[in-house]
Amino acid sequence: MADRSKAEVVLRLFGVNLEQQGRGFYVPLEMLAIARGVYLAHQEDPEKFAGLLDNGAGTAYKRTSHDLARRIATKARIVEGDEELGKAVELDSPETMETLHALFSSLLVEIPGRRSQPSWFGAHIYPFVGELIHYDAVERRVKQIDAKKGAKKRKQATKVAVGINAPSIERYLFRDGGSWAYKVLRVDPDPDRKEATRQGLRDLVQDSGTPLGNLAKALSAHDFDYDEAPVEGSDTGIELYEDFSPWPDLLREGTRNIVTRIATVPRAKRTESLMHWVPYCLARHQLHLARTKVGATNRESILLDFGNEATPLRRESQKNLAGFRNDIVNAINVQARVMIDEVEGDEDKKRRYGRFTKEGGTAVFSPRVFFTETLAAVGALNATAGRRHFTMKPPMLEALVSATVAQDVEMEFDKFCTLLYEKYGLVIEDKVAAASPLAYEVDPSVLDHNGKAFREKLAAIGLLTQYSDATSMVRGEPR
């Protein structure tokens, strides 16, 4: 029997299983796959299956594997053979396959820190249009007995020989982070905000009808594995812990602001912002719950460094990050000790939970790495390894501004910096720093220089306008 003690401890502490394998962009990929699947299931049978973000006991969704497009993108073996492939792709000219490879390989989600090309099932297509959204998959060995398990399995058995590894839709890199995010949006207590989010999210996950969307849909019709009927998903084991963390509601508010910019921001840009915002919120939610568990009484303040050289501010930001990593480890230690006390008399569980009461070791490695690698993936850290500090790279900065500043609203720069601190605990310039414990750690002149660098970055990506009267206004989308 597999030892699930780590999952039990992490689930009790954070309400969702946060593991290194499901870090970063896998969170929004899973969320969008669920949303797209719910949309497809509802379109197929509106009376039987709930609609997008409808609240209920269960969530049924139809999964698309896009295993053919992903195998073409990575030049993986097409195990069905040329005869089956020829039904989907014109094979008279090798240029066709090369063109498709060039197209879909350019659409693969980049995972920072990855040192080698992944297998096709480790490569996911960026969901720029609804038809490109897909679920997780892996390879499984085809068995002779499979042919007796239904019409789909019999059809698959005619395509490949027994013993061949072939695509199978199932959770592999997804680890419920996306289920957490979808549940957060689904149970939004604000009906007006939820309806606005529903409309904006539908625009992202429905068929686009574009040439790229039509091509993706045509190829997916020839995937090896597919859902004959929607599957019943359940997020009943996921706890949001809204009484302890502001981040579920911040996720809702930011997502609404991002997805409702239909008239002013292209679909691809809205999708990109959502891809960065959702995992950022989950990582910050994890940190907030960890600090609550260890009894931290002051809210977390994060020192963002926008400079181009090493300064005392950067050193404090590095210390900032190291302290938060320790908070996550210590919280896991505390949670394990709580669970040991709860299983009085069960020596086996005490022994298994006891591995998580130690500060070091592999037992606490994966949840801690989820935090740092998720932030690094979305651009909220300067790098995936080495000396790291908090910052915001342009795509993450665009997502942050889009999530924070409502549509058709302009905000004065100093007020915007104050709002970033009040909502998210982000410390950037000297006026805001005065309200934070970090005020005593960094010289005001350094923070002033950092604030100017932040202003310049906003202007460079088109989100800040400087007027002749020396005022600077921030908008949620470029003019």
Side-chain angles (χ1 to χ4, degrees), residues 264-284:
T264 55
V265 178
R267 178 190 284 111
K269 180 58 70 175
R270 279 177 278 137
T271 299
E272 184 179 33
S273 291
L274 200 62
M275 287 281 287
H276 288 76
W277 177 246
V278 173
Y280 180 79
C281 288
L282 181 52
R284 291 294 306 274

Side-chain angles (χ1 to χ4, degrees), residues 186-311:
R186 182 173 64 81
V187 301
D188 189 349
D190 183 333
D192 293 336
R193 179 174 62 187
K194 181 176 175 178
E195 182 57 31
T197 302
R198 187 203 318 272
Q199 297 295 338
L201 195 57
R202 179 183 290 122
D203 186 71
L204 295 183
V205 303
Q206 68 186 357
D207 285 356
S208 66
T210 61
L212 176 60
N214 293 337
L215 174 60
K217 197 169 185 178
L219 285 179
S220 70
H222 298 274
D223 285 340
F224 184 84
D225 201 15
Y226 51 92
D227 278 341
E228 294 177 289
V231 298
E232 291 289 341
S234 175
D235 52 25
T236 53
I238 293 175
E239 298 289 343
L240 303 186
Y241 293 145
E242 294 190 72
D243 293 341
F244 303 105
S245 170
W247 282 95
D249 211 56
L250 291 173
L251 171 63
R252 293 172 186 137
E253 185 179 344
T255 298
R256 185 270 312 274
N257 287 342
I258 288 170
V259 301
T260 53
R261 300 178 192 273
I262 296 174
T264 55
V265 178
R267 178 190 284 111
K269 180 58 70 175
R270 279 177 278 137
T271 299
E272 184 179 33
S273 291
L274 200 62
M275 287 281 287
H276 288 76
W277 177 246
V278 173
Y280 180 79
C281 288
L282 181 52
R284 291 294 306 274
H285 178 64
Q286 177 191 18
L287 173 63
H288 192 92
L289 291 176
R291 286 174 53 79
T292 300
K293 177 60 70 173
V294 299
T297 55
N298 60 318
R299 61 174 296 186
E300 62 263 21
S301 293
I302 291 181
L303 195 55
L304 297 185
D305 175 17
F306 287 97
N308 295 320
E309 57 188 18
T311 64

Side-chain angles (χ1 to χ4, degrees), residues 369-477:
V369 169
F370 175 88
F371 173 71
T372 51
E373 292 201 6
T374 292
L375 292 183
V378 300
L381 295 181
N382 64 306
T384 57
R387 296 286 287 173
R388 290 176 290 183
H389 59 266
F390 291 106
T391 189
M392 288 275 174
K393 295 180 180 178
M396 183 64 231
L397 189 53
E398 289 178 349
L400 178 73
V401 178
S402 183
T404 306
V405 182
Q407 189 172 12
D408 298 326
V409 170
E410 271 194 329
M411 187 177 298
E412 202 276 326
F413 175 75
D414 286 341
K415 182 180 178 181
F416 177 65
C417 290
T418 300
L419 187 62
L420 292 183
Y421 177 68
E422 292 175 347
K423 289 170 73 77
Y424 315 128
L426 300 177
V427 179
I428 300 170
E429 44 94 65
D430 56 327
K431 298 182 186 66
V432 167
S436 167
L438 296 171
Y440 306 101
E441 307 296 338
V442 182
D443 188 273
S445 64
V446 176
L447 284 162
D448 180 60
H449 181 75
N450 193 58
K452 291 176 180 176
F454 177 52
R455 188 196 305 258
E456 291 171 1
K457 286 192 181 295
L458 287 174
I461 58 178
L463 297 178
L464 179 140
T465 303
Q466 296 178 320
Y467 292 96
S468 57
D469 61 354
T471 59
S472 299
M473 304 299 291
V474 180
R475 290 177 57 86
E477 66 273 335

